[in-house]
Amino acid sequence: RKLDDDKFWKTVELPNKGKLPSDFDSTQLDWILGPAIQSGGKYDLRFAAEANNDNLHAGIIIAGLGLRYKSYCSTIARTYLVDPNKAQESNYKLLHMVHNSIIKDVRDGMSAKDVYNKALSLLKIKKPEMEKHFLKNVGWGVGLENRDPTLVLNAKNNRTLKDGMTLIIHTGFQDIDNPQPQDKHSKVYSLVLTDTIRVTTGEPVVFTAESPTSADANSFFFKD
C-alpha cells in the first residue's frame, strides 16, 4: 500500500485495540528500506541487494523494512521458517537467544564493543561452530540518519551508549550450509532478527516488540 493512504492508516489497530494518535500524519512517512523479501538461497543481510523477480521460495524467508517518520528512522526484520529441518530450527533458536540477550543487556554506560563482544562470547559458549557465520556487528545507532557510522556495535568501537539513544539491534547468521536441502535453492540459508530500541538506564524500550520473534510464532509447517 502507499504510505500516504489515509484510509489504510485509519484501519490500523494497535495492541490492546488501540488506534493511531489523532495527529498521526502519513505524509511524513517515507521508506528507508524495502520492503525487502529474501528467499531461495539468496540472502544479503545488509539489505543492499536490489529487488528481483524471483518467486518466493519455501524454506527460510527473510523480510525487512524501514521507515522514516518526521525525519526519524526505524527498522525491523524477521526470519520465517517454512517446513524447517531440525538443524534450521536449532540455529534459529540460537539466534533468537543471542538477539534477546543483546537487547536485555544494552544499558546506559555500556560501550558499543562490549555489546558485541558479550554476544560473541555467549555464542562461543553455546555453539562455537556458528562463530564464522556471525555478523561482524550487531547493530548501529539510528536517528535522523538511517545508520550512524560512529555508533556501529562491533568488536572495536569504544563509544559509550547513553540513555535516550535509539539503536537498531541487527543479529544474524550468514550463509549457513543446509545439511538437508530440499532442492538446489535450499543448500545455503541465512537468519536474521532486527529490532529498533531505545537505550535506558535499565532494560531498553523495544519499539518493535509487538512483532513476534519466537520459533513457535515464526515457523510454519505444511508437510506431514
Side-chain angles (χ1 to χ4, degrees):
R1 293 180 181 271
K2 293 182 179 180
L3 290 180
D4 58 358
D5 184 348
D6 282 333
K7 290 182 180 179
F8 165 71
W9 291 110
K10 288 177 181 177
T11 68
V12 171
E13 189 173 276
L14 300 177
N16 300 318
K17 297 186 177 181
K19 294 293 184 181
L20 289 170
S22 58
D23 61 350
F24 174 75
D25 182 2
S26 62
T27 64
Q28 299 274 359
L29 277 172
D30 193 18
W31 292 108
I32 59 170
L33 168 64
I37 311 295
Q38 304 179 18
S39 68
K42 298 178 181 179
Y43 302 98
D44 175 10
L45 299 188
R46 299 169 302 163
F47 292 102
E50 292 292 326
N52 58 46
N53 293 320
D54 293 351
N55 290 331
L56 193 65
H57 189 276
I60 303 299
I61 299 170
I62 291 174
L65 62 86
L67 291 171
R68 178 182 285 110
Y69 181 62
K70 293 185 177 179
S71 300
Y72 289 91
C73 302
S74 62
T75 301
I76 184 173
R78 295 290 182 261
T79 297
Y80 299 98
L81 299 85
V82 180
D83 291 318
N85 56 47
K86 295 299 183 183
Q88 290 173 325
E89 286 186 276
S90 175
N91 286 331
Y92 182 81
K93 289 176 181 177
L94 175 66
L95 174 74
H96 183 256
M97 181 190 66
V98 174
H99 183 72
N100 283 347
S101 74
I102 294 169
I103 291 175
K104 186 176 180 180
D105 287 340
V106 165
R107 292 284 192 286
D108 173 79
M110 196 173 188
S111 72
K113 69 178 183 181
D114 285 347
V115 176
Y116 182 85
N117 290 328
K118 195 169 183 179
L120 183 60
S121 294
L122 176 62
L123 179 61
K124 287 179 177 179
I125 292 170
K126 296 295 183 180
K127 201 169 185 179
E129 62 269 30
M130 290 299 290
E131 181 184 353
K132 62 184 178 182
H133 301 291
F134 196 50
L135 297 181
K136 299 304 181 184
N137 70 72
V138 293
W140 50 86
V142 68
L144 296 176
E145 293 181 273
N146 183 29
R147 181 185 176 111
D148 182 347
T150 71
L151 193 52
V152 178
L153 306 177
N154 60 28
K156 297 180 179 180
N157 192 350
N158 289 312
R159 189 168 172 190
T160 301
L161 304 183
K162 300 293 185 183
D163 183 16
M165 283 182 171
T166 302
L167 304 176
I168 304 298
I169 301 300
H170 180 72
T171 316
F173 297 135
Q174 183 80 53
D175 296 336
I176 309 166
D177 291 327
N178 186 357
Q180 297 174 289
Q182 299 170 327
D183 52 40
K184 65 180 182 180
H185 299 295
S186 304
K187 293 179 179 179
V188 175
Y189 66 97
S190 298
L191 304 168
V192 73
L193 288 170
T194 307
D195 282 290
T196 303
I197 72 170
R198 186 177 69 225
V199 179
T200 73
T201 55
E203 288 197 17
V205 177
V206 184
F207 296 118
T208 45
E210 294 301 325
S211 176
T213 57
S214 71
D216 287 344
N218 290 6
S219 298
F220 302 88
F221 297 90
F222 299 102
K223 296 180 180 179
D224 294 334

